[in-house]
Amino acid sequence: QIDDYTQYLPAVAVFTLDAAGLKGRTKPQKQLLLYALGNITATAVVQPMKRIIGRERPNQSDFHSFPSGHTSTAFVAAEFLHQEFGHHSPWISVAGYATAAATGYLRLYNNQHWLGDVLAGAAIGMASTKFIYWMDKRIKNKKKATKQAL
């Protein structure tokens, strides 16, 4: 289904913009690491919740509805795009979040999730990526302070 692919589009946009010569906030190698860490963080939250909560999907296919993993992945990617290129134009961020929201909508439309599942997935995805960028900034600041102290 198309939502299996749309969840990754904002991340693809980051690397496409890099290839086109637009400068992100970090270098492409660092971007790849930050994106991977955002996904790992989100997955570390989403997967245990699915098993612990055990909410049945609307289509009754299983009991792993809450929270939406596809939506979480989409919002990791959208927040990643925003963090890297949102300073160039707000429309870049809008496009990423709209694509992520479309992924969430498709999960509802395809009867895979309830609205609460999608909203929770979106929050987890955004928070995971924001957390990774916050940690990266803290690490940079500590390294900088250590260098200045020497």
Side-chain angles (χ1 to χ4, degrees):
Q1 293 183 357
I2 194 162
D3 44 328
D4 291 334
Y5 303 100
T6 59
Q7 64 184 324
Y8 302 110
L9 289 178
V12 170
V14 169
F15 300 110
T16 302
L17 290 169
D18 286 334
L22 196 60
K23 299 276 187 207
R25 291 193 189 270
T26 60
K27 293 181 181 178
Q29 298 86 351
K30 180 78 172 262
Q31 290 171 354
L32 188 58
L33 175 64
L34 294 169
Y35 177 59
L37 290 172
N39 275 298
I40 289 167
T41 302
T43 300
V45 174
V46 168
Q47 292 306 317
M49 286 180 75
K50 283 181 172 289
R51 280 150 183 76
I52 291 166
I53 294 170
R55 184 177 191 179
E56 189 174 21
R57 292 183 186 271
N59 65 8
Q60 301 173 334
S61 63
D62 65 33
F63 287 84
H64 297 121
S65 187
F66 183 87
S68 170
H70 280 71
T71 307
S72 175
T73 300
F75 277 89
V76 163
E79 183 62 28
F80 171 55
L81 176 62
H82 170 71
Q83 292 289 329
E84 289 295 333
F85 290 100
H87 64 284
H88 287 291
S89 169
W91 293 109
I92 292 173
S93 299
V94 168
Y97 290 125
T99 302
T103 300
Y105 170 77
L106 288 167
R107 299 307 286 167
L108 295 169
Y109 180 81
N110 292 328
N111 209 29
Q112 293 291 319
H113 288 287
W114 306 99
L115 179 60
D117 305 340
V118 168
L119 295 175
I124 291 166
M126 287 177 62
S128 296
T129 303
K130 284 183 179 293
F131 173 72
I132 293 302
Y133 274 84
W134 176 77
M135 286 299 296
D136 182 57
K137 186 175 180 180
R138 285 187 54 112
I139 291 167
K140 277 185 199 171
N141 289 342
K142 284 196 179 210
K143 285 181 182 178
K144 189 175 179 181
T146 302
K147 281 184 181 179
Q148 289 177 348
L150 298 175

